[in-house]
Amino acid sequence: MYDMGKISYFIRRLARIDLKRFRETLGTIRAQTGRGTPYLLVDLLICGLGYNAGYMDYMIARMDRLSHAQRKTVITRGVSNGIVRRMNDKAYWHYFDDKALFNTTFSRWVKRAWLRVDAGSKEEDLAAFCKGKGAMFAKPLDGSSGVGVERLEAEDCRDARALLLRLREKGDCVLEEALIQHPAMAAIYPGSVNTVRIATLLGDKASGIVYAFLRIGNGRVMDNVDCGGMAARVDLDSGVINTVAADKQGREYARHPLTDAPITGFQLPFFEEAKAACLEAMRLVPQMRFVAWDVAITPQGPEFIEGNSFPSHAVPQFAAHYPDGIGILPEFERFISLKGDA
């Protein structure tokens, strides 16, 4: 029997569905599963009403292969939304959504030079900031999923007037000095800063780290999975990657396809220090009880890139990371009760 809350959520999602994207995803699911459209439409409906799962949830977690008991362990979009709504006070989201405010609030773990650029910024201040620096990244102030992020080389920053006009086209943004990542991290893929995503919870039952993943670039300057990157799960005790990497299309990689560097079994440098930083930082804004931190590993140790006020549930649910079909929900239940969210 389906409860009214799940039915209501399903109807709201259905009313806002992107039909073009749905058709494209359905084609991918057909290719993955070998199932016909009628079967998949019925199963998608069952998963939507029974587990608050959207079509992307179905594809990423390969819910076609899961039993009812296994499907109940997947944190779908509806479940994830409920967790974030309950754990994070929206009045405090701006500490994480505003990149300049984030860099200021968590300045202890943000060591790179950065500058907020907006309508009031002056050409001479921008010129002074860029002097003597190399590559930089321009990021929309409140962007997410890598949208609008642009890498600027040193020559792009020599003409401060032209640069200021270019940045103003983005709207309010931050200009940040490019990080130099640890050589071991660059050996996997040097084209992006490969960051560790560490999720922390200030829970009712316990507080600590729920999961950690290494995000790895694949042909682009960003490691974000929405920009073609991949992710691999990190063992919380050892800091060793204990799964293959996978991308959003379900492709799996034990070695990086461009560098041939081994991924599975890789030991992250400074992982204990990265965990300690996140565990300390999670208490600075206690109204935000569930945060996913993106941490770069430099030769000197961990450094924060950003914190996510509304952590994506997609990366932690890649089917390749859960070969037994048991999803990540039991790991959350160590920290909080999910009755009412699931």
Side-chain angles (χ1 to χ4, degrees):
M1 194 72 181
Y2 300 120
D3 67 59
M4 292 306 298
K6 289 179 179 177
I7 293 173
S8 176
Y9 175 80
F10 177 79
I11 292 171
R12 290 197 305 273
R13 292 294 305 158
L14 191 62
R16 298 195 298 270
I17 193 168
D18 182 333
L19 288 175
K20 181 175 182 293
R21 189 180 182 197
F22 172 73
R23 285 193 291 267
E24 291 171 351
T25 304
L26 184 61
T28 302
I29 296 171
R30 280 200 306 266
Q32 284 179 337
T33 65
R35 297 280 192 174
T37 297
Y39 173 90
L40 290 173
L41 289 176
V42 171
D43 206 32
L44 283 163
L45 178 64
I46 290 170
C47 288
L49 291 172
Y51 312 101
N52 276 351
Y55 57 87
M56 289 300 296
D57 296 325
Y58 189 92
M59 181 185 76
I60 288 169
R62 286 303 306 270
M63 294 183 76
D64 61 287
R65 303 188 301 199
L66 304 182
S67 67
H68 169 67
Q70 291 170 323
R71 287 175 171 183
K72 287 173 64 178
T73 69
V74 175
I75 289 192
T76 59
R77 180 168 185 166
V79 176
S80 176
N81 289 355
I83 293 172
V84 173
R85 190 165 51 245
R86 180 157 59 93
M87 301 301 291
N88 293 345
D89 185 339
K90 200 165 186 177
Y92 292 85
W93 283 19
H94 62 288
Y95 280 94
F96 297 86
D97 297 346
D98 182 322
K99 288 180 173 59
L101 181 57
F102 177 86
N103 287 356
T104 301
T105 304
F106 301 98
S107 59
R108 178 177 171 185
W109 302 281
V110 179
K111 300 164 189 174
R112 62 196 175 277
W114 64 276
L115 179 72
R116 175 175 174 146
V117 180
D118 54 31
S121 296
K122 297 179 181 178
E123 180 184 329
E124 55 267 32
D125 293 334
L126 184 59
F129 175 77
C130 293
K131 187 175 181 181
K133 294 184 176 66
M136 287 189 260
F137 281 91
K139 303 177 181 180
L141 197 67
D142 58 356
S144 63
S145 300
V147 176
V149 175
E150 182 181 6
R151 180 182 169 95
L152 303 171
E153 302 302 331
E155 54 267 28
D156 296 318
C157 303
R158 289 186 183 132
D159 185 337
R161 176 172 293 180
L163 177 60
L164 185 58
L165 291 173
R166 182 173 175 178
L167 294 177
R168 280 179 174 166
E169 289 179 0
K170 292 181 176 293
D172 294 353
C173 63
V174 292
L175 188 62
E176 297 185 344
E177 190 174 23
L179 282 174
I180 297 175
Q181 64 183 330
H182 193 285
M185 304 293 284
I188 296 180
Y189 176 68
S192 70
V193 175
N194 307 306
T195 57
V196 192
R197 173 160 288 192
I198 300 176
T200 56
L201 254 176
L202 288 166
D204 304 316
K205 298 179 182 178
S207 297
I209 295 172
V210 190
Y211 60 76
F213 284 83
L214 178 63
R215 307 190 310 167
I216 308 165
N218 186 17
R220 298 181 67 177
V221 298
M222 289 171 285
D223 62 354
N224 196 292
V225 297
D226 290 318
C227 299
M230 61 185 80
R233 187 153 195 196
V234 179
D235 180 75
L236 292 179
D237 294 323
S238 66
V240 172
I241 293 177
N242 58 6
T243 68
V244 296
D247 62 20
K248 210 165 184 179
Q249 287 67 46
R251 294 182 289 255
E252 300 180 12
Y253 308 93
R255 305 179 73 89
H256 198 285
L258 298 180
T259 64
D260 198 40
I263 295 173
T264 308
F266 175 79
Q267 172 70 63
L268 270 70
F270 292 113
F271 186 62
E272 288 300 317
E273 291 83 351
K275 288 194 299 182
C278 294
L279 288 170
E280 187 170 351
M282 74 177 183
R283 299 187 182 278
L284 291 189
V285 187
Q287 296 84 358
M288 298 293 293
R289 298 166 62 194
F290 175 37
V291 175
W293 310 87
D294 291 337
V295 186
I297 307 297
T298 77
Q300 292 75 41
E303 179 167 347
F304 287 174
I305 299 296
E306 64 181 11
N308 297 274
S309 63
F310 204 110
S312 167
H313 66 290
V315 176
Q317 293 292 159
F318 284 167
H321 301 148
Y322 298 90
D324 61 358
I326 302 300
I328 205 169
L329 186 144
E331 296 170 40
F332 275 77
E333 287 181 322
R334 295 187 293 114
F335 297 90
I336 59 174
S337 170
L338 289 176
K339 188 175 181 181
D341 294 305

